[in-house]
Structures are given as C-alpha cells and as structure tokens.
Amino acid sequence: MTESAAPLLRLKHALARDGAAVAAVLLVGCLLASAVVLTGMVTPASSYSPLAETPEGPSERLVHVTALQQDVAVEVTEDSEAYTAGDRLENQGTYPISGATDPTVTTTAAAEDAGITSVEIAVVYEAAPSGSPTEPFWTDTVVLDSETYDGAAEASLETTVDVESVTERRAALREEFGPEATVSASVVSTATYGYESAEGERFGETLAVGGPLTLGESLYQLPHESTRQTPTTGGESPGTASSGSLLNIVFGLFSATTGIGAVGAAAAWLFVDPGRTSRELDRRRYEDWVTAVESFTPQGNINTVTVSSLGDLVDLAIDTRHRVIYHKPVDEYFVIADDIMYIYAPDREAGEPSATANFGMEIPQADVPPVNFDPPAGPTPDGGPVPEEDGGDDERSAERSDQDGFHFGG
C-alpha cells in the first residue's frame, strides 16, 4: 500500500489526537525559557524583568580622543645635483643615503578625556616566507627610545635612526635565513592611553604608526604616518545592556515559539475531530484502490458483512482481485465478491443497517383510513342520547387478563 498522505494532514491528525500532551510539553518549555530570560538563571536578567537593575536614567556618554603622529626629518650635509647643503627634508618619504644626516623620527601623542601612559619608538625586524603574504615566523623589536607618563594630555618623543646599522643587521638576517625568507625592517611609534567612563570603569588603548625602511642603492624610503581614534563610553542604561545578549535572544525566541505552539496544539485538540482526520488519511492512503460512484443499486439477494477498517477492506479487495467501491451519497465503501457485500461505513453506528445494501428500496405502506377514537359529541343518528360508558370494556379487559394469567391490583 502506498503512503500518499500529506505531512501536514499527518501533523493535524497527531495534534487532534495527542494535542493536549503536546501543548503541555510546549507550555513547560515556554515557562522555563521565560524564567531564564526574566530571572537571569543562566544569563543576566533582561531589562524586561522586574529583577533587572533599572537606573534612573542612562549613564553619561563620554568621547575620548586619542591621536598619534610620526614625523621624519633629514638635513642635507653636502651639495649635489639634487640637494643643497643645509636643506631640511621633512616628511618627503624618500631621502638620500649619502650626503645627509640619519633621519630624525619625532613621535607626538595627544589625548582628550584620556591620559597618555607611554610612548615608544622602535625598529621592528620581521622574517616571513618568500613569495606568500603570510604572517612572519620571526620578529624582533629593538627599542630606540621610550618614555612613561602619568595620564598626560600631550607627549613628544624624538630619536635618530641609524640607517647604516639597520642596513647591516637586515643583511645579516637575510644571509642567515637565506632566499626562502623575506626580511624587513620598520620604524614604528607606539603610544598607550588610559581613560574611564562616568561610572569609574577603566579602559586602555594602544595606537601604533610607522612603516618599513626600504633601502636602495642611493636612496631609502621611510614613511610618516598619523592616526586618530575616538572611543566612547556610557550613554546607555546598564539594565538594557544585557537584554541584547545572544543567550537572552535565543531563549526569548524559544519562549515565544513554544508558547505559540502550545496554543496551536491545544486548539487542534479541542476543535479538530481526530476521527475525521483519520478517515481523510485513510482516503488519501488507499485512493489508488478505490473507485467513487454516485449511484449504486444492489441486484438480487446479497448478504452483507461489516469490515472494521478501510485498510482491511482494501486487503480483501486485493486478495479477491476486486476494486473497492466508494458510494459517495451514503459515505460507505464496499467490495462485492461471491454474492457477499463487504462494507466499511466510517460513520455508521453498530447494528445500524447498511445504507448501500438498502439503497433505492422503499417499504410499501398499506392505505388504512384514519380511525376516530373520540366519541361523538351530539345525539345518535336516531335522535336518542349518547349511551354512557358502563365499564364493560374494563370488565372485558380484566377478564382477558385473568385468562392470560396477568393480575393487576389487589
């Protein structure tokens, strides 16, 4: 037998039959998820919970400004076709190797509603595999100069980079690592900051600027760079901060889903007839073995046998090589084999005769004139008075009762 019943109809039948149990389970899940969100059993209590802390208003929103800049300056010491002695080359990016001083790197840090805690200038050497933009497998930081501060609003640090020394070490590292590695040297300025929110919570931040020192035959490149950040604190209520947590959102959605599911399951259990859905499932399941007809009149003498289910009737039809007939006007299924009508009637009460077996038949009625049992209200046809009852009928009834052996009264 093929299973052609739709999944939605199966679900509808299951809820109509067991909806009360399903609704109870879903309701328990809804209540547990709601308890988690409202009481903070697993996550901080949501702002919708009476247990959540509700401040008088949002905290003060503060904007903390942090800025860092690295400047490069070189002074020309010898005349050439391109430069004149005494020229000062600032933040040009490219500088001569000979006939000029080593570059002076100046790092400037500034803060607003924040404090500077340290400034550092360093040369960072890195080695990475050649031919691929992968992370370096080796790093070394050589600090050229550094300074610490106690929450200063401004700070400045200046140092000189020995280009010849950097060139010699990079060459030594290249020889050590071989052609399989790429060695770079960068001049990096770093500053650390600290700030706090209106509630006194402390925060920290680190900014870094700089770039690689690229060497050629007669020129080298050293970039100058700057950056600025504006972190903020406050501006929201602590009671609402937890309401957006992932676990609270998940439990809230689960609570809403199970609540809606519980209502739907209860409604199906109350208002959907499981017998009707069961019959519809049977109809769809066995529709390949059933032929529907609008009219059917039995011929000759046919004995009827009631079958308990449509599945049994279909099995019988397959065994006897017959089709199942569905008599639509009376909602009955039957198979006729060997002058026996096997009937399955979904809605017929036990002991009730088959509507199909008696379909089209009428019971004749005899023409009997109506009998008037009321005595006439006027005189007899000959004009005499209507005779009074003398109790003769009662005496004859009592006599028949005595003869039949029945006694009434004392």
Side-chain angles (χ1 to χ4, degrees), residues 4 8 66-67 79 132-133 144 150 175 184 186 189 233-234 264 287 358:
S4 59
L8 287 180
T66 56
D79 291 335
S132 59
L144 303 179
D150 187 16
E175 183 177 355
S184 63
S186 301
S189 298
T233 59
E287 60 186 356
N358 299 321

Side-chain angles (χ1 to χ4, degrees), residues 45-282:
S46 168
S47 60
Y48 301 105
S49 169
L51 302 181
E53 297 180 2
T54 306
E56 295 181 358
S59 60
E60 182 181 0
R61 183 175 184 271
L62 300 178
V63 179
H64 312 276
V65 180
T66 56
L68 184 64
Q69 181 172 326
Q70 176 179 284
D71 297 308
V72 180
V74 171
E75 186 173 342
V76 179
T77 58
E78 297 179 6
D79 291 335
S80 66
E81 291 295 330
Y83 302 103
T84 302
D87 288 347
R88 184 175 175 83
L89 310 178
E90 295 183 1
N91 296 334
Q92 293 190 1
T94 303
Y95 309 94
I97 296 177
S98 61
T101 62
D102 286 328
T104 299
V105 176
T106 303
T107 301
T108 305
E112 182 179 340
D113 282 330
I116 303 168
T117 56
S118 68
V119 177
E120 178 183 279
I121 303 175
V123 178
V124 180
Y125 297 91
E126 294 180 339
S130 299
S132 59
T134 58
E135 293 293 327
F137 62 85
W138 179 87
T139 302
D140 184 32
T141 301
V142 178
V143 178
L144 303 179
D145 200 359
S146 64
E147 190 73 38
T148 58
Y149 305 89
D150 187 16
E154 295 181 353
S156 181
L157 190 64
E158 184 178 289
T159 190
T160 301
V161 179
D162 189 342
V163 176
E164 183 178 356
S165 175
V166 173
T167 304
E168 291 176 354
R169 186 170 188 206
R170 192 176 68 167
L173 291 172
R174 284 180 173 176
E175 183 177 355
E176 179 179 349
F177 292 122
E180 291 82 9
T182 301
V183 179
S184 63
S186 301
V187 178
V188 179
S189 298
T190 306
T192 58
Y193 304 82
Y195 53 91
E196 63 180 30
S197 65
E199 292 78 21
E201 186 177 0
R202 294 288 301 177
F203 298 90
E205 186 176 88
T206 300
L207 297 182
V209 293
L213 178 62
T214 306
L215 294 170
E217 293 183 1
S218 57
L219 298 172
Y220 66 90
Q221 294 179 343
L222 183 60
H224 66 281
E225 194 177 34
S226 64
T227 185
R228 183 173 183 269
Q229 300 288 341
T230 56
T232 61
T233 59
E236 64 177 10
S237 169
T240 61
S242 66
S243 63
S245 67
L246 180 60
L247 281 177
N248 269 331
I249 293 175
V250 170
F251 277 111
L253 291 176
F254 181 78
S255 175
T257 303
T258 52
I260 294 173
V263 173
W269 181 67
L270 290 173
F271 301 111
V272 178
D273 180 12
R276 181 177 180 181
T277 55
S278 176
R279 291 192 295 273
E280 179 64 17
L281 278 172
D282 285 344

